[in-house]
């Protein structure tokens, strides 16, 4: 478990982390000297990881108790893929587990519409290192940007879906699990990630795809047509 402290000013936080790291040597911490926000902090956590894969876990969410077993089995059964993702649901103290999200196997067009991969997302570390990890400027939509760039480096058979709810996304009043409006800036950053993805990967002779916003973090891709449209029989 690799945790990056983004220059917390609460001394008790560091004391708690020091205590846990002494109890279990598998827990590693990095303490940043300045606040860098989620992308830089996450990259620092990745830098101290020694495993072959990175599983992303928000600090207040919950993993199914067998989540890592299913991930490890999927890695072995599928010849060490680049990207693995599972189904997910939400969790609150009042409702418990609710609102399950049963996802499809990898659907490229659907992923261009919104980040359905999300949680639990597991990435091959060598690929993350190759593409430079998370990017500054995409905070709030950093996972979407990362997944798009990993997909650009992957074949379809290297992206694997586990059809089991392995991740429980905690809902509270200020979380995006409750409402996308709580972090409205994420939509513009997701749009930026999509536009850069198409710019870098879909330079067609007759134009480039255009992306429009349908609503918060939901997009429509309009594909260009060639001047001489092919016949359909």
């Amino acid at each position: 478990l690799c945790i990056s402290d983004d220059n917390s000013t609460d001394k008790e936080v560091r004391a708690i982390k020091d205590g846990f790291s002494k109890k279990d040597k598998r827990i590693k911490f990095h303490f940043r000297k300045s606040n860098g926000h989620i992308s830089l902090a996450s990259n620092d956590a990745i830098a101290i990881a020694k495993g072959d894969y990175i599983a992303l876990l928000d600090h207040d969410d919950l993993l199914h108790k067998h989540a890592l077993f299913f991930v490890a089995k999927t890695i072995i059964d599928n010849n060490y893929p680049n990207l693995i993702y599972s189904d997910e649901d939400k969790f609150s103290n009042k409702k418990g587990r609710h609102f399950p999200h049963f996802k499809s196997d990898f659907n490229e067009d659907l992923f261009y519409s919104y980040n359905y991969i999300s949680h639990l997302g597991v990435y091959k570390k060598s690929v993350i290192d190759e593409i430079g990890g998370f990017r500054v400027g995409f905070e709030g939509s950093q996972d979407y940007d990362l997944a798009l760039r990993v997909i650009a480096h992957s074949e379809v058979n290297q992206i694997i879906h586990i059809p089991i709810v392995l991740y429980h996304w905690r809902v509270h009043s200020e979380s995006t699990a409750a409402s996308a409006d709580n972090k409205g800036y994420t939509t513009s950053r997701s749009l930026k990630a999509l536009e850069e993805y198409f710019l870098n990967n879909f330079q067609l002779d007759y134009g480039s795809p255009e992306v429009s916003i349908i609503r918060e973090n939901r997009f429509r891709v309009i594909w260009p047509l060639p001047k001489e449209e092919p016949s359909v029989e």
Side-chain angles (χ1 to χ4, degrees):
L1 178 61
C2 301
I3 301 174
S4 178
D5 183 308
D6 199 16
N7 195 34
S8 172
T9 57
D10 189 338
K11 294 181 179 180
E12 184 179 1
V13 171
R14 182 157 190 159
I16 292 171
K17 293 176 179 177
D18 285 339
F20 274 106
S21 62
K22 290 177 181 177
K23 291 179 181 179
D24 192 331
K25 298 301 181 183
R26 296 173 299 174
I27 301 176
K28 302 177 182 179
F29 293 101
H30 175 80
F31 294 92
R32 290 184 50 81
K33 295 181 179 179
S34 61
N35 182 267
H37 211 317
I38 191 168
S39 292
L40 290 179
S42 297
N43 284 340
D44 285 341
I46 290 171
I48 60 175
K50 294 184 178 180
D52 294 329
Y53 284 83
I54 302 294
L56 303 177
L57 173 65
D58 288 351
H59 66 280
D60 55 348
D61 294 340
L62 304 172
L63 280 182
H64 187 284
K65 64 180 180 180
H66 299 310
L68 298 184
F69 164 78
F70 282 110
V71 169
K73 185 177 187 302
T74 300
I75 290 170
I76 295 169
D77 290 348
N78 292 275
N79 194 28
Y80 297 84
N82 290 349
L83 171 56
I84 301 159
Y85 64 97
S86 76
D87 295 345
E88 61 186 281
D89 60 16
K90 296 182 180 180
F91 176 86
S92 69
N93 293 332
K94 290 184 178 180
K95 294 183 178 181
R97 289 177 55 188
H98 62 285
F99 205 80
H101 185 181
F102 301 117
K103 306 171 186 178
S104 69
D105 287 347
F106 182 58
N107 181 324
E108 195 168 0
D109 288 314
L110 181 62
F111 190 62
Y112 297 154
S113 298
Y114 77 109
N115 180 16
Y116 77 85
I117 286 177
S118 193
H119 307 125
L120 172 68
V122 182
Y123 300 81
K124 183 180 281 189
K125 188 174 186 297
S126 61
V127 177
I128 289 184
D129 291 340
E130 181 181 351
I131 65 176
F134 292 102
R135 293 197 293 173
V136 173
F138 292 87
E139 287 79 7
S141 296
Q142 73 285 338
D143 290 3
Y144 196 23
D145 176 60
L146 182 75
L148 284 165
R149 288 183 292 125
V150 169
I151 287 168
H153 282 69
S154 306
E155 301 295 331
V156 173
N157 62 1
Q158 294 176 307
I159 305 168
I160 307 298
H161 167 228
I162 303 175
I164 306 171
V165 176
L166 299 180
Y167 193 99
H168 315 304
W169 194 5
R170 190 182 297 274
V171 178
H172 57 82
S173 60
E174 297 180 0
S175 69
T176 50
S179 173
D181 293 336
N182 288 326
K183 294 182 179 179
Y185 61 89
T186 62
T187 299
S188 61
R189 291 175 182 177
S190 292
L191 176 64
K192 179 182 176 183
L194 273 172
E195 289 177 334
E196 286 196 14
Y197 171 82
F198 288 123
L199 181 65
N200 294 329
N201 297 285
F202 287 92
Q203 286 299 303
L204 306 175
D205 293 337
Y206 45 86
S208 301
E210 296 182 0
V211 186
S212 60
I213 299 172
I214 298 176
R215 58 185 178 86
E216 290 82 1
N217 286 305
R218 295 294 185 273
F219 307 95
R220 179 189 177 196
V221 178
I222 302 173
W223 293 91
L225 294 174
K227 292 182 179 179
E228 294 184 11
E229 295 181 7
S231 60
V232 179
E233 296 181 359

